[in-house]
Amino acid sequence: MQLNEAGLIAQKCWLEIPEHFPHATLLDFVIMPNHIHGIIEIIYNPVGAKNFSPLLEPQSGCTSPTKTIGSIVRGFKIGVTKWIRQHTTIHEVWQRNYYDHIIHDTDSFERICKYIRDNPKNWNENDLS
């Protein structure tokens, strides 16, 4: 997949996820013309009484979940969207939500990695609609 400038920014933002979310490890991913596939491993280091770890951290008097896949995806989408809106005439960048799936075993992991790696060669330019 040959990435254009926006694709390169999406790739840069993706690769920077662990800098903003140290509990996240990036595994296979691919940036496609109109979507991205990626595997994020979240490592929780339990702390506190009975190994409970708080999921909320205060920010300016508000609380926001910061150790969730949702917060990671939200941060990624915000970073890419800001750049695209500042450097292009495109305003709508992402669909409203995202698809997530918990990988339960090695077979599933390998199957999903293969799907991600094969996605560019299975791409059909008609898929842009």
Side-chain angles (χ1 to χ4, degrees):
M1 189 61 55
Q2 291 287 339
L3 299 177
N4 63 15
E5 193 173 14
L8 291 171
I9 293 301
Q11 178 175 281
K12 178 181 181 294
C13 289
W14 182 265
L15 294 173
E16 291 175 352
I17 287 172
E19 295 173 26
H20 303 283
F21 302 91
H23 62 286
T25 301
L26 303 177
L27 303 172
D28 279 8
F29 77 99
V30 65
I31 309 286
M32 298 297 291
N34 66 351
H35 65 281
I36 180 172
H37 293 284
I39 299 174
I40 301 172
E41 180 179 13
I42 299 177
I43 307 295
Y44 290 106
N45 292 321
V47 296
K50 297 185 181 179
N51 290 330
F52 291 132
S53 178
L55 292 178
L56 302 178
E57 296 177 8
Q59 295 177 347
S60 306
C62 300
T63 57
S64 174
T66 59
K67 295 187 177 186
T68 65
I69 193 67
S71 63
I72 294 169
V73 171
R74 182 174 54 251
F76 167 74
K77 284 181 168 183
I78 288 169
V80 175
T81 299
K82 281 184 179 180
W83 185 91
I84 289 177
R85 287 181 179 171
Q86 289 173 354
H87 296 91
T88 73
T89 58
I90 297 169
H91 184 72
E92 296 297 322
V93 180
W94 302 105
Q95 66 183 30
R96 183 170 182 208
N97 213 337
Y98 61 94
Y99 172 78
D100 63 342
H101 172 77
I102 297 172
I103 300 173
H104 292 283
D105 56 45
T106 303
D107 289 341
S108 179
F109 176 76
E110 289 173 1
R111 187 177 63 257
I112 292 168
C113 286
K114 181 176 178 2
Y115 176 83
I116 290 170
R117 281 185 232 113
D118 290 347
N119 208 250
K121 74 179 178 186
N122 295 328
W123 175 256
N124 177 347
E125 296 222 7
N126 295 327
D127 291 338
L128 284 171
S129 57

